[in-house]
mmCIF file of all heavy atoms in Angstrom:
data_model
loop_
_atom_site.group_PDB
_atom_site.id
_atom_site.type_symbol
_atom_site.label_atom_id
_atom_site.label_comp_id
_atom_site.label_asym_id
_atom_site.label_seq_id
_atom_site.Cartn_x
_atom_site.Cartn_y
_atom_site.Cartn_z
ATOM 1 N N PRO A 80 4.522 -39.359 4.862
ATOM 2 C CA PRO A 80 3.339 -39.349 3.965
ATOM 3 C C PRO A 80 3.354 -40.693 3.228
ATOM 4 O O PRO A 80 3.743 -40.813 2.025
ATOM 5 C CB PRO A 80 3.606 -38.200 3.025
ATOM 6 C CG PRO A 80 5.058 -37.889 3.182
ATOM 7 C CD PRO A 80 5.485 -38.295 4.516
ATOM 8 N N ALA A 81 2.768 -41.724 3.798
ATOM 9 C CA ALA A 81 2.785 -43.058 3.201
ATOM 10 C C ALA A 81 1.421 -43.321 2.552
ATOM 11 O O ALA A 81 1.334 -44.327 1.856
ATOM 12 C CB ALA A 81 3.100 -44.088 4.249
ATOM 13 N N LYS A 82 0.410 -42.572 2.824
ATOM 14 C CA LYS A 82 -0.857 -42.764 2.228
ATOM 15 C C LYS A 82 -1.057 -42.009 0.928
ATOM 16 O O LYS A 82 -0.439 -40.960 0.673
ATOM 17 C CB LYS A 82 -2.003 -42.381 3.230
ATOM 18 C CG LYS A 82 -2.003 -43.128 4.512
ATOM 19 C CD LYS A 82 -3.148 -42.594 5.450
ATOM 20 C CE LYS A 82 -3.150 -43.383 6.761
ATOM 21 N NZ LYS A 82 -4.212 -42.866 7.660
ATOM 22 N N PRO A 83 -2.002 -42.397 0.054
ATOM 23 C CA PRO A 83 -2.243 -41.647 -1.114
ATOM 24 C C PRO A 83 -3.098 -40.357 -0.803
ATOM 25 O O PRO A 83 -3.708 -40.290 0.270
ATOM 26 C CB PRO A 83 -2.973 -42.616 -1.984
ATOM 27 C CG PRO A 83 -3.645 -43.597 -1.021
ATOM 28 C CD PRO A 83 -2.711 -43.740 0.117
ATOM 29 N N ILE A 84 -3.241 -39.458 -1.773
ATOM 30 C CA ILE A 84 -4.082 -38.282 -1.529
ATOM 31 C C ILE A 84 -5.517 -38.714 -1.606
ATOM 32 O O ILE A 84 -6.032 -39.433 -2.475
ATOM 33 C CB ILE A 84 -3.815 -37.276 -2.692
ATOM 34 C CG1 ILE A 84 -2.347 -36.688 -2.531
ATOM 35 C CG2 ILE A 84 -4.811 -36.106 -2.731
ATOM 36 C CD1 ILE A 84 -1.952 -35.723 -3.609
ATOM 37 N N GLU A 85 -6.288 -38.210 -0.580
ATOM 38 C CA GLU A 85 -7.685 -38.509 -0.481
ATOM 39 C C GLU A 85 -8.518 -37.270 -0.836
ATOM 40 O O GLU A 85 -8.066 -36.286 -1.402
ATOM 41 C CB GLU A 85 -7.988 -39.073 0.911
ATOM 42 C CG GLU A 85 -7.247 -40.393 1.203
ATOM 43 C CD GLU A 85 -7.575 -40.840 2.631
ATOM 44 O OE1 GLU A 85 -8.350 -40.282 3.306
ATOM 45 O OE2 GLU A 85 -6.996 -41.939 2.909
ATOM 46 N N ALA A 86 -9.828 -37.320 -0.447
ATOM 47 C CA ALA A 86 -10.707 -36.292 -0.856
ATOM 48 C C ALA A 86 -10.361 -34.916 -0.198
ATOM 49 O O ALA A 86 -10.394 -33.883 -0.956
ATOM 50 C CB ALA A 86 -12.134 -36.591 -0.476
ATOM 51 N N ARG A 87 -9.976 -34.872 0.998
ATOM 52 C CA ARG A 87 -9.651 -33.541 1.643
ATOM 53 C C ARG A 87 -8.535 -32.964 1.012
ATOM 54 O O ARG A 87 -8.512 -31.740 0.737
ATOM 55 C CB ARG A 87 -9.387 -33.883 3.099
ATOM 56 C CG ARG A 87 -9.039 -32.543 3.889
ATOM 57 C CD ARG A 87 -8.924 -32.749 5.341
ATOM 58 N NE ARG A 87 -8.524 -31.634 6.109
ATOM 59 C CZ ARG A 87 -8.700 -31.449 7.426
ATOM 60 N NH1 ARG A 87 -9.103 -32.413 8.170
ATOM 61 N NH2 ARG A 87 -8.298 -30.327 7.978
ATOM 62 N N ALA A 88 -7.480 -33.704 0.702
ATOM 63 C CA ALA A 88 -6.280 -33.164 -0.010
ATOM 64 C C ALA A 88 -6.595 -32.712 -1.403
ATOM 65 O O ALA A 88 -6.127 -31.633 -1.835
ATOM 66 C CB ALA A 88 -5.140 -34.198 0.038
ATOM 67 N N GLY A 89 -7.393 -33.421 -2.118
ATOM 68 C CA GLY A 89 -7.782 -33.055 -3.509
ATOM 69 C C GLY A 89 -8.594 -31.728 -3.564
ATOM 70 O O GLY A 89 -8.328 -30.813 -4.366
ATOM 71 N N ILE A 90 -9.506 -31.656 -2.638
ATOM 72 C CA ILE A 90 -10.292 -30.333 -2.579
ATOM 73 C C ILE A 90 -9.425 -29.232 -2.212
ATOM 74 O O ILE A 90 -9.534 -28.101 -2.620
ATOM 75 C CB ILE A 90 -11.515 -30.519 -1.685
ATOM 76 C CG1 ILE A 90 -12.430 -31.618 -2.128
ATOM 77 C CG2 ILE A 90 -12.237 -29.217 -1.536
ATOM 78 C CD1 ILE A 90 -13.554 -31.944 -1.200
ATOM 79 N N GLY A 91 -8.461 -29.511 -1.270
ATOM 80 C CA GLY A 91 -7.535 -28.438 -0.910
ATOM 81 C C GLY A 91 -6.621 -27.901 -2.003
ATOM 82 O O GLY A 91 -6.352 -26.703 -2.032
ATOM 83 N N VAL A 92 -6.227 -28.767 -2.934
ATOM 84 C CA VAL A 92 -5.377 -28.409 -4.041
ATOM 85 C C VAL A 92 -6.255 -27.442 -4.977
ATOM 86 O O VAL A 92 -5.795 -26.379 -5.389
ATOM 87 C CB VAL A 92 -4.928 -29.605 -4.846
ATOM 88 C CG1 VAL A 92 -4.305 -29.189 -6.168
ATOM 89 C CG2 VAL A 92 -3.930 -30.414 -3.994
ATOM 90 N N GLY A 93 -7.485 -27.808 -5.198
ATOM 91 C CA GLY A 93 -8.396 -26.946 -5.981
ATOM 92 C C GLY A 93 -8.582 -25.518 -5.308
ATOM 93 O O GLY A 93 -8.549 -24.465 -6.008
ATOM 94 N N PHE A 94 -8.803 -25.495 -4.037
ATOM 95 C CA PHE A 94 -8.997 -24.272 -3.301
ATOM 96 C C PHE A 94 -7.673 -23.474 -3.277
ATOM 97 O O PHE A 94 -7.732 -22.237 -3.284
ATOM 98 C CB PHE A 94 -9.516 -24.460 -1.917
ATOM 99 C CG PHE A 94 -10.978 -24.514 -1.833
ATOM 100 C CD1 PHE A 94 -11.683 -25.620 -2.074
ATOM 101 C CD2 PHE A 94 -11.710 -23.338 -1.509
ATOM 102 C CE1 PHE A 94 -13.064 -25.620 -1.982
ATOM 103 C CE2 PHE A 94 -13.026 -23.319 -1.378
ATOM 104 C CZ PHE A 94 -13.821 -24.456 -1.655
ATOM 105 N N SER A 95 -6.561 -24.100 -3.201
ATOM 106 C CA SER A 95 -5.307 -23.404 -3.266
ATOM 107 C C SER A 95 -5.083 -22.653 -4.562
ATOM 108 O O SER A 95 -4.534 -21.533 -4.551
ATOM 109 C CB SER A 95 -4.115 -24.340 -2.926
ATOM 110 O OG SER A 95 -4.000 -25.306 -3.959
#
Side-chain angles (χ1 to χ4, degrees):
K82 297 179 181 180
I84 293 179
E85 297 180 1
R87 177 169 180 169
I90 300 175
V92 171
F94 268 86
S95 63

